[in-house]
Amino acid sequence: MNKEFFITDSRRTTPWTGDADATELQHFIDRKVDALYANKHMALTETDESELLNSYEPQRCPYCGHEEFTGYGRTRNGVKRYCCKSCHRTFTIITGTIFQDHKIPISEWIDFCLCLFRFQSFTSISKTNRNAYSTVKYWLSKLFLVLSEYQKNIILEGTVYIDETFYKVRSGDIANKDDGTQFRGLSRNQICIGIGTDGKRTIAFTEGFGKVSGKRTLSTFRNHIKEGSNLIHDEERGHRLLVDELKLQSETYNAKLLKGVPDKDNPLLPINRKCFFLKKFLNSHSGFDREELQNYLNLFAFIMNEGNQYERVEKILEWSLHCPKTLNYRDKFCK
């Protein structure tokens, strides 16, 4: 059983919680911490969440897909319940979604998402929102489910910029030579990430370990760049196959010669900026499992593409209520 995050410190208690011998000042601090926590984590019945959820109408039964159902009272939290005319099972608007069986109000996702969009670390988010660290990781996994196919249908067109950036594996996974020294350069310890933008949309995908290759570049971008677009990129030879396959107009620049050139004069600035923000985003969560890197890239692309931070929150909550995917806490942490 993996208990890495199953039990974590409470953000509600202090060293003096339940201590009858605590001083008056210690009791005072303890009471205020408890009050702040309670204000941050209201019971579902104390929120207006039911009004939000009851404004949505199910389209079909989440269990069998049948489109005919009837009203079946309400839950103890005031959310409308329905009964399927085919399988006769009861459900609500959040059954089968990432919010199924949730104990913390959906409204807390607003703070959670805003912190993510500001590139805050998980520890910082946990402290800011007074959530357990495990809760932050659990919610992130749910968010990954919602965004799992976010980039699938994004196609860049017009003037398109592409580049590769590299991100190192975690320290415990670094492979060394027989003599104990690390491999140098673009080795198996470096994960290649292909990133592209047309000024309106941004995409980012893992390409494997080590150096750029023509086949991997083609596989990464083939379905995400419109044929005949104008491609602006560096002189990486691995891009040639992509240019030929999609009949792209190629405009290349020597990235080394552009170092030190003012931003306003740098033709690769648009893609350089995306690479900069990607590294900043990943570095805010540097200890993450690299097997989840693509999930982080999906989230990064969403942040880059979807309006301001409040519009992003709106889309996340809207998509979450319609995404037929759910994740049990124990399935995440207790296998």
Side-chain angles (χ1 to χ4, degrees):
M1 179 181 290
N2 177 12
K3 294 188 177 180
E4 183 181 1
F5 302 111
F6 185 59
I7 300 176
T8 56
D9 293 335
S10 170
R11 300 295 183 191
R12 185 170 197 161
T13 60
T14 71
W16 312 291
T17 300
D19 185 358
D21 296 325
T23 67
E24 187 57 39
L25 177 58
Q26 291 169 343
H27 279 307
F28 177 81
I29 294 173
D30 186 64
R31 289 196 303 272
K32 295 309 173 185
V33 168
D34 184 72
L36 288 170
Y37 183 94
N39 183 62
K40 198 75 174 179
H41 302 289
M42 292 187 293
L44 298 181
T45 52
E46 298 175 351
T47 71
D48 55 359
E49 182 176 303
S50 61
E51 296 179 23
L52 168 68
L53 297 180
N54 290 337
S55 68
Y56 288 87
E57 183 77 19
Q59 299 300 309
R60 57 187 59 83
C61 172
Y63 297 110
C64 69
H66 197 67
E67 297 182 355
E68 293 187 18
F69 46 85
T70 60
Y72 198 76
R74 301 189 179 218
T75 68
R76 62 181 181 180
N77 295 323
V79 179
K80 291 180 181 178
R81 187 189 289 115
Y82 304 89
C83 182
C84 177
K85 291 185 176 181
S86 177
C87 69
H88 306 295
R89 300 181 70 176
T90 60
F91 60 92
T92 69
I93 190 65
I94 60 175
T95 300
T97 73
I98 62 170
F99 295 126
Q100 177 176 302
D101 301 325
H102 70 296
K103 301 295 188 297
I104 299 176
I106 292 175
S107 58
E108 290 197 31
W109 269 68
I110 297 175
D111 284 338
F112 167 68
C113 289
L114 289 174
C115 289
L116 274 180
F117 300 157
R118 290 193 291 264
F119 296 179
Q120 283 186 234
S121 70
F122 298 142
T123 300
S124 175
I125 294 174
S126 172
K127 291 179 179 178
T128 298
N129 296 334
R130 295 179 178 272
N131 291 127
Y133 187 81
S134 56
T135 298
V136 174
K137 293 289 289 184
Y138 178 44
W139 285 6
L140 182 69
S141 295
K142 288 186 172 187
L143 185 57
F144 284 164
L145 282 178
V146 176
L147 296 176
S148 61
E149 297 187 356
Y150 172 72
Q151 299 189 77
K152 183 178 180 180
N153 297 316
I154 296 179
I155 299 178
L156 308 180
E157 59 182 335
T159 299
V160 178
Y161 301 80
I162 68 167
D163 197 5
E164 289 78 25
T165 190
F166 296 85
Y167 205 70
K168 200 168 186 177
V169 300
R170 292 198 296 185
S171 58
D173 298 324
I174 292 177
N176 295 321
K177 299 179 183 178
D178 292 338
D179 62 6
T181 60
Q182 288 189 24
F183 292 94
R184 299 179 63 185
L186 302 179
S187 67
R188 69 189 72 178
N189 294 323
Q190 299 284 342
I191 305 173
C192 180
I193 301 172
I195 183 168
T197 185
D198 60 5
K200 298 178 181 178
R201 311 286 279 176
T202 295
I203 56 175
F205 296 96
T206 57
E207 291 192 22
F209 296 89
K211 296 180 180 179
V212 179
S213 75
K215 289 184 178 180
R216 292 194 317 205
T217 298
L218 179 61
S219 176
T220 298
F221 292 107
R222 172 191 277 140
N223 297 322
H224 296 284
I225 298 178
K226 187 176 181 180
E227 186 174 316
S229 296
N230 180 40
L231 185 69
I232 299 179
H233 56 122
D234 58 21
E235 296 178 342
E236 170 58 56
R237 288 180 295 178
H239 297 169
R240 295 175 183 175
L241 190 59
L242 176 68
V243 171
D244 294 339
E245 178 79 12
L246 296 183
K247 300 179 177 60
L248 303 174
Q249 302 175 51
S250 178
E251 187 177 327
T252 64
Y253 296 90
N254 188 315
K256 292 182 180 180
L257 297 179
L258 291 175
K259 288 185 177 180
V261 173
D263 287 348
K264 63 183 181 65
D265 300 321
N266 191 334
L268 297 179
L269 178 62
I271 193 65
N272 289 345
R273 292 293 291 170
K274 298 302 181 184
C275 290
F276 168 79
F277 283 120
L278 175 59
K279 283 291 185 69
K280 183 177 181 180
F281 171 70
L282 294 178
N283 286 340
S284 67
H285 314 298
S286 57
F288 70 89
D289 186 343
R290 300 303 190 261
E291 291 185 1
E292 291 192 315
L293 178 56
Q294 188 56 58
N295 288 325
Y296 283 86
L297 298 183
N298 293 337
L299 175 56
F300 172 77
F302 172 82
I303 293 172
M304 292 293 102
N305 295 338
E306 301 298 336
N308 64 46
Q309 58 182 347
Y310 301 109
E311 291 171 327
R312 294 173 203 146
V313 170
E314 178 190 18
K315 290 182 179 180
I316 286 295
L317 294 180
E318 184 74 29
W319 294 350
S320 297
L321 289 170
H322 292 91
C323 180
K325 297 179 180 179
T326 188
L327 178 65
N328 182 275
Y329 186 89
R330 291 186 176 273
D331 290 340
K332 171 63 181 176
F333 294 121
C334 302
K335 287 184 177 180

